[in-house]
Amino acid sequence: MSLHTLTVCQLRDKIRTGEVSSREATQSLLNRIASVDGKVKAYNWLNADNALAQADAAKKGGVLAGVPVAIKDVINVDGQPCTCASKILQGYVAPYDATVIRKLREAGAILVGRTNMDEFAMGSSTENSSWGTTCNPWDLTRIPGGSSGGSAAAVAADEAFAALGSDTGGSIRQPAALCGCVGLKPTYGRVSRYGLVAFASSLDQIGSFTKDVRDAALLLSVISGHDPMDSTSVPRPVPDYVAALERGVKGLRIGLPKEYFIPGMDREVEAAVRAAIAKLVSLGAEVVEISLPHTDYAVAVYYLIATAEASANLARFDGVRYGARVKGEDVIDTYGKTRGSGFGPEVKRRIILGTYALSAGYYDAYYLRAQKVRTLIRQDFEKAFAKCDVIVTPTTPEVAFKAGEKSGDPLKMYLSDIFTISVNLAGNCGVSIPCGFAHKLPIGLQIIGKAFDEETVLRTAYAYEQATAWHKERPVL
Ligand code: GLN
């Protein structure tokens, strides 16, 4: 049997019993990458020799002992490049580990390589990468989603047992849906972002891509928890997420927001999601109709707040402190030349938009208003969760689109996240799990939970997964 097809839990158990070694598993994964990544292009950088050395040294006993994990190229790993898929960070080598990386190492994980993404996590297709586009393993002419497209494609193509990503407006759930894997965005504050290159600090959250829900629960148990290095991380105990899986969905109230079943969405996607809801009902859940009335404003609010925060966060890339420098006549000229040639067009568009929204004459009209509507969106969720335990929706209105189909039209691209963005604005948690196929491409089911209620989200996802086999389907490469 090919080891690279195993889940994290399966591999971990085989390593524990001594049936396989971490070196064998890592080698099998590297072979798989060598044979398919020329087509998929999920990785920006591989740690081949060092990964085998890490495998040999992997300490016994940790919950991930000897298991290789891939990391989105936006999270710092000591001694490895961290480019955020931007030319401006070419040559930058991280001098420290992000907190999630430290936790992975403590659990015994092997850091095998860095996955492709949209530049600075801005995008929904992984086309905005200075490394080139990643392909969807189910159809190489299509995009894998974004911005964590490399992580999603790697897991879907069995080029990674699991991967970390970041989700600011949907960047874990949307690519997980389009590639047919499990993508979990934890609650804002659940996982430390120390060492994650910031895009929009009030929205960013680190999470996982896995082949099944059990692995998602396991990884969350490893990476969660309070961290004094991230003042937004919350000092709450970390539950045993794996143990929570088995509780089932009997009596669970599932909220269906009427605003998420919209005309214009792919009929086959809608049919698959409705069938998934019926499956949950057959397992004992109850359906309640709910309303999230401010949903229509979410994309606009997001593109004001996220760009405003990005314009401030990206000011640090000035050619002095990090990465590439294009020398000008004086310091101002150097800033301009470095940023002018280092950032790609989408990043520039966002910096300009964000600077505009924050500028003196427009602050009240745009930024301040967006913050007020954000509060209304958060209240929508609070009210809805008085009536239900989880909210179930499609993750995306359609399946993976063709490369190039939306890259010329930013507004069309922005609408890819219409069902995921509100969750970041409200700060809740959400997961996308496979729930079928349309036009031979994977469909994602989104399960949204209350803040810090990942347990209920994961057990709902697990109950569905146990009763279906979608997660076992694999693309032929
Ligand atoms: N696609 C959204 C954007 O372009 C979300 C990105 C993300 O979650 N990082 O901003």
Side-chain angles (χ1 to χ4, degrees), residues 285-444:
E286 292 161 25
V287 166
V288 255
E289 181 159 328
I290 56 161
S291 173
L292 298 167
H294 296 92
T295 298
D296 268 358
Y297 303 103
V299 171
V301 166
Y302 171 86
Y303 278 95
L304 286 165
I305 292 176
T307 58
E309 293 181 11
S311 72
N313 276 326
L314 269 57
R316 73 192 65 180
F317 301 106
D318 56 6
V320 177
R321 284 173 286 186
Y322 309 91
R325 174 185 304 171
V326 182
K327 238 176 132 30
E329 318 228 303
D330 54 28
V331 68
I332 299 293
D333 195 35
T334 300
Y335 290 162
K337 289 205 162 90
T338 301
R339 290 167 68 83
S341 64
F343 290 136
E346 181 61 26
V347 174
K348 286 181 186 162
R349 179 179 299 122
R350 306 255 183 139
I351 292 173
I352 292 167
L353 254 170
T355 309
Y356 180 80
L358 287 175
S359 59
Y362 296 100
Y363 181 94
D364 288 356
Y366 294 115
Y367 184 73
L368 191 65
R369 274 197 153 187
Q371 291 289 21
K372 289 180 178 167
V373 182
R374 180 179 188 173
T375 301
L376 296 174
I377 291 171
R378 179 165 338 120
Q379 288 169 350
D380 280 357
F381 279 96
E382 276 163 21
K383 285 180 199 148
F385 278 122
K387 293 195 204 139
C388 62
D389 304 300
V390 291
I391 296 173
V392 172
T393 77
T395 309
T396 59
E398 52 181 27
V399 290
F401 46 91
K402 290 263 185 200
E405 195 179 316
K406 301 191 183 182
S407 47
D409 186 342
L411 279 183
K412 249 190 184 167
M413 188 70 87
Y414 296 172
L415 289 171
S416 310
D417 304 301
I418 189 157
F419 295 154
T420 49
I421 270 178
S422 297
V423 178
N424 301 75
L425 290 167
N428 298 17
C429 55
V431 71
S432 178
I433 58 171
C435 74
F437 289 83
H439 326 288
K440 301 200 174 113
L441 295 162
I443 303 171

Side-chain angles (χ1 to χ4, degrees), residues 240-319:
D240 183 342
Y241 291 112
V242 178
L245 295 177
E246 312 281 350
R247 288 179 214 151
V249 293
K250 249 202 180 74
L252 194 88
R253 294 165 306 164
I254 296 180
L256 299 188
K258 55 173 191 269
E259 295 81 3
Y260 281 59
F261 294 86
I262 50 174
M265 73 188 258
D266 186 317
R267 276 167 185 242
E268 290 186 45
V269 170
E270 176 165 1
V273 169
R274 298 237 182 243
I277 293 160
K279 175 62 89 182
L280 285 166
V281 169
S282 77
L283 297 170
E286 292 161 25
V287 166
V288 255
E289 181 159 328
I290 56 161
S291 173
L292 298 167
H294 296 92
T295 298
D296 268 358
Y297 303 103
V299 171
V301 166
Y302 171 86
Y303 278 95
L304 286 165
I305 292 176
T307 58
E309 293 181 11
S311 72
N313 276 326
L314 269 57
R316 73 192 65 180
F317 301 106
D318 56 6

